């Protein structure tokens, strides 16, 4: 089916589903950018944090009996604490010696988290028993899942909350100063180590929330493949700009829309998995024409 053969309502519904998917990519991508700006580390363990958030919520809600909303809040806080601990005890000791070593540490953490989740909860798909399940909301001919509406709302709330914090609080100002020039910020009395740990904590919380929403019933339930969303989010930060929080969110939305429209309307002749490949095609196309992404900062070097 092609876009010309469908109604405007169907296109709008596909766009809204793509927006919901892109919002989740945007949350994970924003975590990548926050960590990169604060510590210059590309945190490959972000996918593991998303996976951990989803399974911790399952454990707290389904197995421990906590109300779902409380389980989500506790899981997000635990993900933030886990990320902060990783930064303090595993990343900080190697960061000053070799940036590549810190990258390999994050990759090792991702592998360890995936093994931990598989060992504790297994690899079978599990029902998260989320309150939205497969419920739908219809309005003016449009039909959306209740989960997608909540995803868009919660993602928007998280992103707006972060930008308000980043722009208008003293801690946010310290984070921006550290991101601009870590040494100069330290010279002005800003504890760059504490700011780095806070950045990792925020990124962990965002990643955990994204994983929770990815692991809902509409999203296919709990499965180890949730961690792969971080690989797609990596393409989103390349599209938006590696050092741009706004670009990360924009890139996530672009990738989500591209995937959803490809899954719905791409010709069968292109293959069944074209929507899986498309994010990386978009990433390469952007890199060819805009090496720093849509909103990234070009590096200026004096000769």
């Amino acid at each position: 089916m092609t876009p010309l053969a469908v109604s405007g309502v169907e296109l709008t519904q596909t766009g809204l589903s793509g927006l919901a998917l892109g919002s989740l990519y945007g949350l994970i991508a924003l975590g990548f950018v926050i960590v990169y700006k604060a510590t210059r580390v590309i945190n490959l363990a972000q996918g593991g944090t998303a996976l951990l958030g989803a399974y911790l919520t399952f454990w707290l809600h389904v197995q421990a009996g906590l109300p779902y909303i409380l389980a989500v809040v506790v899981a997000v806080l635990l993900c933030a604490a886990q990320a902060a601990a990783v930064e303090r005890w595993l990343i900080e000791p190697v960061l000053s010696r070799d940036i590549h070593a810190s990258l390999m540490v994050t990759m090792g953490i991702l592998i360890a988290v995936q093994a931990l989740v598989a060992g504790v909860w297994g690899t079978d798909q599990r029902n998260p028993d989320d309150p939205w399940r497969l419920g739908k909301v219809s309005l003016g001919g449009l039909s959306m899942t209740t989960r997608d509406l909540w995803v868009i709302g919660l993602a928007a709330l998280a992103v707006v909350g972060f930008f308000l914090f980043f722009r208008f609080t003293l801690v946010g100002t310290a984070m921006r100063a550290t991101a601009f020039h870590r040494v100069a910020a330290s010279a002005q009395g800003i504890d760059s180590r504490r700011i780095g740990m806070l950045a990792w904590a925020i990124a962990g919380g965002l990643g955990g929330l994204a994983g929770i929403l990815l692991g809902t019933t509409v999203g296919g339930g709990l499965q180890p493949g949730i961690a792969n969303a971080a690989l797609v989010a990596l393409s989103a930060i390349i599209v938006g700009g590696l050092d741009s929080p706004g670009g990360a969110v924009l890139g996530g939305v672009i990738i989500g829309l591209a995937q959803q429209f490809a899954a719905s309307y791409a010709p069968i002749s292109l293959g069944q998995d074209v929507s899986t490949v498309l994010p990386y095609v978009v990433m390469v196309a952007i890199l060819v024409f805009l090496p720093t992404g849509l909103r990234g900062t070009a590096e200026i070097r004096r000769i």
Side-chain angles (χ1 to χ4, degrees):
M1 185 182 295
T2 64
L4 294 177
V6 298
S7 67
V9 171
E10 290 175 304
L11 287 174
T12 303
Q13 287 186 179
T14 303
L16 289 173
S17 296
L19 178 61
L21 180 60
S23 298
L24 297 179
Y25 290 151
L27 284 179
I28 299 175
L30 182 58
F32 273 117
V33 171
I34 292 170
V35 166
Y36 180 78
K37 285 179 71 69
T39 59
R40 286 298 184 265
V41 174
I42 297 177
N43 179 21
L44 298 180
Q46 187 75 343
T49 304
L51 183 64
L52 193 61
Y55 277 89
L56 282 174
T57 302
F58 170 78
W59 171 58
L60 291 167
H61 175 54
V62 177
Q63 297 180 321
L66 289 183
Y68 186 78
I69 298 301
L70 179 58
V72 168
V73 172
V74 174
V76 168
L77 292 176
L78 288 174
C79 285
Q82 172 263 336
V86 164
E87 193 280 335
R88 175 51 56 94
W89 292 324
L90 298 178
I91 299 299
E92 180 67 27
V94 302
L95 190 60
S96 59
R97 296 201 299 267
D98 187 356
I99 192 70
H100 301 294
S102 60
L103 183 67
M104 296 306 295
V105 169
T106 64
M107 181 179 293
I109 294 168
L110 171 60
I111 295 171
V113 170
Q114 289 176 315
L116 174 66
V117 168
V120 174
W121 290 287
T123 57
D124 294 335
Q125 184 174 336
R126 291 179 176 269
N127 178 13
D129 194 29
D130 57 281
W132 310 299
R133 294 184 176 84
L134 298 176
K136 291 189 176 183
V137 175
S138 298
L139 180 63
L142 291 174
S143 179
M144 282 187 67
T145 64
T146 308
R147 174 263 196 179
D148 280 354
L149 287 174
W150 274 91
V151 163
I152 294 172
L154 288 173
L157 185 64
V159 170
V160 170
F162 167 75
F163 278 103
L164 290 175
F165 166 80
F166 198 58
R167 178 69 62 179
F168 298 111
T169 67
L170 289 176
V171 177
T173 301
M175 290 182 68
R176 285 187 284 123
T178 303
F180 181 75
H181 199 294
R182 190 180 179 94
V183 176
S186 297
Q188 295 299 315
I190 295 174
D191 189 343
S192 58
R193 292 181 61 189
R194 182 171 296 179
I195 292 299
M197 188 170 67
L198 176 62
W200 277 72
I202 293 173
L206 292 174
L209 177 61
I212 292 166
L213 296 174
L214 281 167
T216 54
T217 305
V218 173
L222 289 176
Q223 50 192 324
I226 289 172
N228 295 335
L231 297 177
V232 183
L234 272 174
S235 67
I237 64 172
I238 300 300
V239 169
L242 188 58
D243 61 348
S244 171
V249 177
L250 175 62
V253 171
I254 290 173
I255 294 299
L257 288 171
Q259 267 199 318
Q260 197 65 38
F261 275 100
S264 300
Y265 305 117
I268 299 178
S269 59
L270 294 178
Q272 295 182 344
D273 296 326
V274 63
S275 62
T276 304
V277 179
L278 190 59
Y280 308 104
V281 175
V282 174
M283 178 186 72
V284 172
I286 291 293
L287 284 175
V288 169
F289 298 102
L290 296 168
T292 59
L294 295 174
R295 300 194 61 182
T297 304
E299 184 176 355
I300 300 175
R301 295 185 177 181
R302 294 181 181 179
I303 299 177

